[in-house]
Structure formats: C-alpha cells, structure tokens
C-alpha cells in the first residue's frame, strides 16, 4: 500500500480515484447513452434478421436480446450515471432522463475484457477477409488504424511512473449461497413476486410456478451467488406468440412508470429476499422509445460497488422481469496484495492475461457512421514483397497515468465466487486495465 494506509477504506478508495483530475468533454454522458441506445436498436434488428435468415421463431425477444447483449452496454450505463461535476469522480448524480439514488461508491472493477464486434476487430480476432461481412469491425479498423490491438491479448507496451512500491494487505469477501439455499428463502421471494406454487428442487435449480410460459415463474440457480431470475410472460411486451413480428412489442404498452417506481420495486424485492437494501446503490436509466422502465442495484462493500448487480424491468402492469443474487456477502479475511508497481508489472506478464476492461475516451467519442461503403473487388493480387521488407508488427504504446485498489469477482473451479482485491489502471486515453491484486503466494497457478 502507500501513505494513504492510515485512511479508512472508503477514503483510500476515493484518494485513489483514477478520474479525479480527468475533465470530460461537453456532452460525454449524453453521447454514451446515445451510443448504448443505438447499439440496442441494432441488436434488435440483428436478432430479427438472424431469425428470418434461419427460418425460426423467437417467442421472447427480450430474453434473446439479453443473451446476445454486448458486455460494454452495462459499462456504458454505469459510465453515463457518473456525475460530471468538475471531473469524472466517484460522485453519482442524475443520468439522462432519470433519477440516480446512488450514494457515491466507487465504480465496480471487472476482470472481464471489452468484447463485441469492435473489440474483436481491434484485437485482431477478425481476419481482413472477414471485415467485409463485419461492418462494425471494418469501420473501427478504418477509423482507428493506429489502435489495431488495444484489447484482448494484443501486443502492448506499457509505461508508468510514480506508482507506489509498497506491498500491503486488504480484505476479501465471498458469497455464502448455502446459508440461504432452502425452500423458505425461495418461497418468501416467490410470495413477494406473486408466483404461485411450492419451491421444487429440480435439475440444479429451485423452481416455482409453471415452466411452460403461461404464468409468472421463478428460478434460483444452485451457483456460487445463488442467482435468481423471474419473469411474467403475461405482461412482457416482447413475449410474442409464434409467427408474430418480433421487431415491435406484441403486448399493449401503457404509460411508462417513473424511475422512482422502478427503484422502489427493486428495493422491495431485495428486502423480500432477506438482503439489506441499505447496502445497495440504485440507478435507473432508460432511452427514448423504451417500453419498460429498468432499474439496477449494486451491492456496496468497503465503499465500492461490486460487479454483481440486480436488475428489474417494470411496466404499468407490474414487474416484467427481475434478477439478482440471493447469497449474502461475508468477510473472508485479509490477503497479502502486491504494490501498485507490482500490479503494473503484471500487465506485461502472460500469466495474468491483462486486458482492457473499458473503452478509451477517443473511441467513445467516435461518431457513429451509418453509411455503408460498397466493397470493390480487387483486379489483381497485392504486390510481391521485396527483399528486406519490414514485417508489420504493430505494438500499442499504453501510458498508465493512475491506479486504484478495489474489489472484483473471481469464480473458483467449484463454482464458488470470491470478492477479492484488484487494481484498475487508467491509461492516458481513458481506457482501463484491470489485474488481480492478490500476492503470488495466495494464487494457485496449477492447471488441471
């Protein structure tokens, strides 16, 4: 750790805020929302097109869209909810068109890389011949020829200065699913959601309600967080009968509930599950043309949101769907952690597979170009290389400008989930890179 060690955990996290001195451009939050909205619309169109091409029918577009949703969408939603008052600090305020009741906890740290067509193209996962069929990837490659591989396991050269060289220790936590995996917990949640039936343990899950899509249903998976899902097909605007055009809502759409209503509904679900709603931060975002109001709840530990959020969709007819994690979070004890400098060196260590976990500001600011450039077939192959020609081997220079210590989720081989210390580094372009902070002595490098 460093000289901030005497501060309480919340103060230490705030003192290490990587964005405290970053001044965002005008309209940044609005542009992030707009980009997420455009991606969601494209996502719907893609699902519809795929279904038509395959000659199949999707009866629940919402579920299908969720299955395909790019990982950067929730990142964009979180980014847009950060208050922009003199900088991108940890203060959380109103998002576009809505109320944000979050209390200023640090943003979640995730070890998951940025994914999706743009990320694949820039990580080199898309071959040049495939770019003509992957327009988004080709567009990114043309727009950013000097950023071929900032993500994934690309070739990166990292630099930094002024990082602390002091090791230390930090608390870790874990989810305790067995303590609440019982019929009583599931029945209480089912009653709060209005699901009729007796909890039944079947095929690795607790199930309540008919599973044929005719009535509200609840499922609780026997996983490391005891994650649950609920849906009411009777009021789901995307729950369509076979043969219905899934590009438009199938159910009548009434007045959109307020953001306060969605947050209150999610808070009530958390309380009914036996969790303490005061230990969560709540947000609600929506976009023009939305047919349900959504809300998210992030558990907060040591002043930081965890990357395991709850989610709810509300219509004027009631709760359309909700999901979350029923397992309580319990303290696991202190772990030795490496210094900021030691974690920085892990960025170049293949054992830790450091990957970009948030887009750089430059890419977020890129305007969306919907024009399609017609592919012109070549009339001859490329010129024969001459003797001594240099091999193209692009390497990205990544300058790390700040670091912060926080918490991230780590899935164990047996399915249990730990919440452990991790570092998030911010580069000069506003992108973030995350690595585990736990010292080598507590890491099991064995493979099976």
């Amino acid at each position: 750790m460093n000289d901030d060690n005497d501060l309480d955990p919340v103060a230490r996290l705030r003192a290490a805020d990587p964005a405290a001195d970053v001044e965002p451009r005008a309209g940044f939050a609005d542009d992030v929302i707009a980009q997420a909205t455009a991606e969601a619309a494209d996502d719907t169109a893609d699902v519809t097109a795929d279904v038509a091409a395959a000659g199949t029918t999707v009866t629940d577009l919402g579920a299908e869209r969720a299955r395909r949703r790019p990982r950067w969408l929730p990142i964009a939603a979180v980014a847009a909810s950060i208050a922009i008052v003199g900088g991108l600090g940890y203060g959380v305020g109103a998002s576009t068109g809505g109320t944000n009741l979050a209390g200023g906890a640090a943003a979640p740290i995730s070890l998951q890389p940025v994914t999706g067509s743009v990320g694949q193209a820039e990580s080199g996962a898309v071959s040049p011949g495939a770019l003509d069929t992957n327009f988004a990837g080709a567009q990114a490659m043309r727009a950013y020829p000097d950023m071929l591989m900032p993500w994934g396991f690309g070739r990166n050269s990292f630099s930094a200065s002024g990082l602390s060289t002091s090791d230390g220790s930090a608390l870790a936590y874990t989810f305790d699913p067995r303590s609440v995996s019982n019929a009583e917990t599931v029945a209480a949640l089912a009653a709060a959601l209005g699901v009729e039936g007796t909890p039944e343990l079947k095929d690795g899950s607790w199930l309540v309600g008919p599973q044929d899509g005719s009535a509200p249903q609840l499922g609780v998976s026997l996983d490391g967080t005891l994650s649950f899902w609920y849906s009411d097909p009777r009021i789901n605007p995307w729950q369509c009968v076979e043969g219905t055009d899934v590009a438009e809502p199938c159910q009548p759409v009434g007045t959109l509930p307020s953001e306060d209503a969605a947050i209150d509904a999610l808070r009530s679900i958390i309380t009914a599950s036996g969790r303490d709603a005061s230990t969560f931060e709540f947000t609600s975002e929506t976009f023009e043309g939305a047919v349900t109001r959504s809300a998210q709840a992030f558990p907060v530990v040591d002043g930081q949101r965890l990357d395991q959020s709850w989610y709810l969709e509300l219509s004027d007819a009631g709760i359309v769907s909700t999901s979350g994690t029923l397992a309580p979070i319990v303290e696991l004890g202190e772990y030795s952690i490496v210094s900021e400098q030691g974690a920085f060196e892990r960025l170049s260590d293949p054992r830790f597979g450091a990957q970009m976990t948030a887009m750089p500001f430059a890419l977020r600011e890129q305007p969306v170009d919907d024009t399609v450039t017609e592919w012109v077939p070549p009339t001859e192959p490329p010129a024969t290389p001459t003797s001594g020609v240099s091999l193209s081997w692009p390497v990205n220079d990544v300058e790390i400008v700040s670091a912060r210590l926080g918490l991230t989720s780590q899935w164990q081989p047996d399915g249990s989930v730990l919440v452990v210390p991790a570092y998030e580094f911010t580069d000069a372009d506003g992108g973030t890179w995350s690595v585990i902070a736990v010292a080598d002595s507590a890491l099991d490098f064995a493979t099976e």
Side-chain angles (χ1 to χ4, degrees):
M1 298 291 285
N2 52 30
D3 295 337
D4 292 329
N5 228 3
D6 294 333
L7 300 175
D8 64 71
V10 176
R12 292 208 314 267
L13 285 168
R14 294 184 187 278
D17 184 350
D21 299 323
V22 177
E23 187 70 27
R25 64 178 178 80
F28 167 70
D30 292 339
D31 287 352
V32 172
I33 286 291
Q35 187 174 5
T37 302
E39 181 71 14
D42 291 344
D43 193 30
T44 299
D46 289 344
V47 173
T48 305
D50 291 348
V51 170
T56 58
T57 299
V58 172
T59 58
D60 190 342
L61 180 62
E64 183 67 11
R65 287 179 61 194
R67 186 180 68 82
R68 302 179 183 213
R69 183 176 295 126
R71 291 184 183 271
W72 71 265
L73 281 178
I75 296 174
V78 173
S81 69
I82 298 175
I84 304 177
V85 182
L88 292 177
Y90 290 149
V92 181
S95 59
T96 300
T99 301
N100 191 317
L101 300 184
I109 291 180
S110 173
L111 298 181
Q112 299 301 314
V114 176
T115 59
S117 58
V118 173
Q120 291 170 351
E122 295 190 345
S123 68
V126 180
S127 64
L131 290 178
D132 293 311
T133 58
N134 186 334
F135 175 69
Q139 186 180 41
M141 293 283 276
R142 289 192 295 268
Y144 294 92
D146 59 339
M147 294 179 62
L148 293 180
M149 285 181 292
W151 297 330
F153 293 92
R155 296 183 289 273
N156 302 295
S157 176
F158 295 95
S159 63
S161 62
L163 297 177
S164 171
T165 58
S166 299
D167 297 336
S169 62
L171 281 172
Y173 303 83
T174 187
F175 287 87
D176 182 17
R178 289 193 177 182
S179 65
V180 290
S181 180
N182 51 60
E184 291 75 19
T185 297
V186 178
L189 181 59
L193 290 166
V195 182
E196 297 181 355
T198 301
E200 178 183 4
L201 193 57
K202 181 179 179 182
D203 298 329
S205 299
W206 289 99
L207 301 175
V208 186
Q211 303 302 303
D212 58 3
S214 61
Q217 51 192 312
L218 171 67
V220 180
S221 299
L222 299 183
D223 56 29
T225 64
L226 207 67
S227 60
F228 77 92
W229 55 268
Y230 160 87
S231 66
D232 186 346
R234 302 169 305 175
I235 61 174
N236 187 340
W238 298 108
Q239 191 76 38
C240 307
V241 298
E242 188 171 348
T244 304
D245 181 4
V246 296
E248 297 293 337
C250 309
Q251 306 284 356
V253 177
T255 303
L256 202 63
S258 68
E259 291 180 341
D260 286 346
I263 289 174
D264 287 344
L266 185 51
R267 183 182 286 110
S268 296
I269 296 302
I270 291 173
T271 300
S273 74
R275 301 286 298 276
D276 182 359
S278 68
T279 63
F280 288 74
E281 287 193 344
F282 295 84
T283 66
S284 179
E285 295 88 18
T286 191
F287 58 90
E288 185 176 356
V291 296
T292 57
R293 180 75 70 180
S294 64
Q296 280 185 294
F298 295 86
V300 176
V301 175
D302 285 349
Q304 180 183 299
R305 297 184 186 186
L306 301 187
D307 55 345
Q308 302 292 327
S309 64
W310 293 49
Y311 182 79
L312 176 140
E313 283 187 285
L314 185 69
S315 74
D316 63 342
I319 298 174
V320 175
S321 65
T322 187
S323 59
T325 55
L326 297 179
I329 300 168
V330 297
E331 191 172 304
L332 199 58
E334 287 204 344
Y335 278 78
S336 296
I337 62 172
V338 298
S339 66
E340 292 177 352
Q341 179 65 32
F344 165 77
E345 293 169 2
R346 287 180 171 183
L347 294 176
S348 300
D349 188 334
R351 294 178 305 167
F352 294 95
Q355 302 179 68
M356 182 174 281
T357 52
M359 295 179 293
F361 291 130
L363 188 56
R364 299 172 199 166
E365 295 174 359
Q366 176 69 7
V368 177
D369 183 3
D370 294 329
T371 61
V372 178
T373 303
E374 182 179 358
W375 178 68
V376 179
T379 58
E380 59 180 348
T384 302
T386 59
S387 177
V389 65
S390 297
L391 283 70
S392 177
W393 195 262
V395 176
N396 299 289
D397 292 323
V398 182
E399 179 188 1
I400 298 300
V401 296
S402 62
R404 73 174 173 105
L405 176 65
L407 296 168
T408 192
S409 298
Q410 164 66 20
W411 275 257
Q412 296 288 87
D414 65 355
S416 59
V417 181
L418 309 180
V419 180
V420 295
Y423 282 105
E424 181 181 80
F425 295 97
T426 301
D427 64 36
D429 293 320
T432 62
W433 306 75
S434 301
V435 295
I436 201 78
V438 176
D440 287 13
S441 59
L443 298 178
D444 181 2
F445 291 107
T447 59
E448 297 180 0

